[in-house]
Amino acid sequence: VLAFRSRPVQVPKGDNIVLLSNLKWVKVEQSYKTPRRNFSIDDHELSAGNRRYRFGIGSHAPSEIGIELPQNADSLFVGAAIDSECYEFGSAKFFIKVDGKLVWQSGLMNGPAGVEFAKISVQNASQVELVTDPNGPNNCDHTDWLNGYIKLR
C-alpha cells in the first residue's frame, strides 16, 4: 500500500515562471501510448518518491519529447522519476538535451529510487528534449518529468 503526503509538491509562482507542460511540443516519439500533460501515462495523478505532483509530463520509455523554449528562457528546473504506479517494476534512464546537445543524464532509476532533480541553463537555446531509455525490457517503464518549469530572464 502506498501512502502519499497530503499536499502535492509545489512549483514556484510568478511572472517569470512558465510550466514545461504548458509549452509547445515540437517533437513526440514514444513506443507506448502518448505522453500526457500533468498526468501519468496511465492517466493517474503523477507520483514518485512518496510524493504527488500536480504538474509534469507522464511518458513511457523509450520516449523523446522536444519542447520549444521561450526566447527569454534562462533556466530549466525538472524532476525525473519512475511513476509510483509501477511500484518496483519500472526502470529507465533519463536524458536532457538542449538544442541537440546532451547536458544532463540520470543514473538508472527504478520505482523506489525517488526523484532526481536537474537545474540547467537554457539561455539562448530554442529547444529542450526530454529523453528516456528503458535500459532493457520496457515493461512498466512509466517515466515522469515532474514539476518542470522554465525561469525567464
Side-chain angles (χ1 to χ4, degrees):
V1 174
L2 294 174
F4 295 100
R5 295 182 183 172
S6 60
R7 293 187 184 145
V9 177
Q10 298 298 308
V11 173
K13 295 178 183 173
D15 293 338
N16 67 333
I17 302 295
V18 178
L19 290 172
L20 206 55
S21 56
N22 289 345
L23 294 173
K24 180 181 178 183
W25 294 359
V26 293
K27 177 182 184 179
V28 176
E29 293 181 10
Q30 187 165 284
S31 66
Y32 175 73
K33 294 190 175 181
T34 302
R36 298 289 320 258
R37 296 175 193 260
N38 305 320
F39 289 96
S40 76
I41 195 67
D42 276 349
D43 208 24
H44 299 119
E45 183 175 55
L46 295 164
S47 61
N50 201 33
R51 301 293 304 261
R52 294 181 299 138
Y53 295 83
R54 183 171 290 137
F55 304 107
I57 299 169
S59 60
H60 192 288
S63 66
E64 193 168 337
I65 303 167
I67 301 171
E68 187 176 283
L69 293 171
Q71 286 187 334
N72 58 342
D74 181 69
S75 304
L76 162 68
F77 300 83
V78 68
I82 300 295
D83 196 281
S84 296
E85 67 195 5
C86 281
Y87 307 101
E88 72 273 7
F89 301 112
S91 65
K93 290 183 179 179
F94 295 76
F95 304 88
I96 299 174
K97 297 178 183 179
V98 175
D99 287 341
K101 180 181 176 186
L102 181 64
V103 296
W104 182 88
Q105 68 182 49
S106 72
L108 181 62
M109 305 279 297
N110 60 35
V115 181
E116 283 193 33
F117 292 94
K119 176 186 175 189
I120 297 163
S121 173
V122 292
Q123 290 182 5
N124 302 315
S126 61
Q127 184 175 319
V128 64
E129 293 175 69
L130 307 177
V131 180
T132 63
D133 179 80
N135 196 52
N138 66 346
N139 294 344
C140 210
D141 289 349
H142 297 197
T143 51
D144 292 341
W145 296 97
L146 301 165
N147 278 9
Y149 66 93
I150 300 293
K151 181 179 176 191
L152 305 175
R153 293 189 286 261

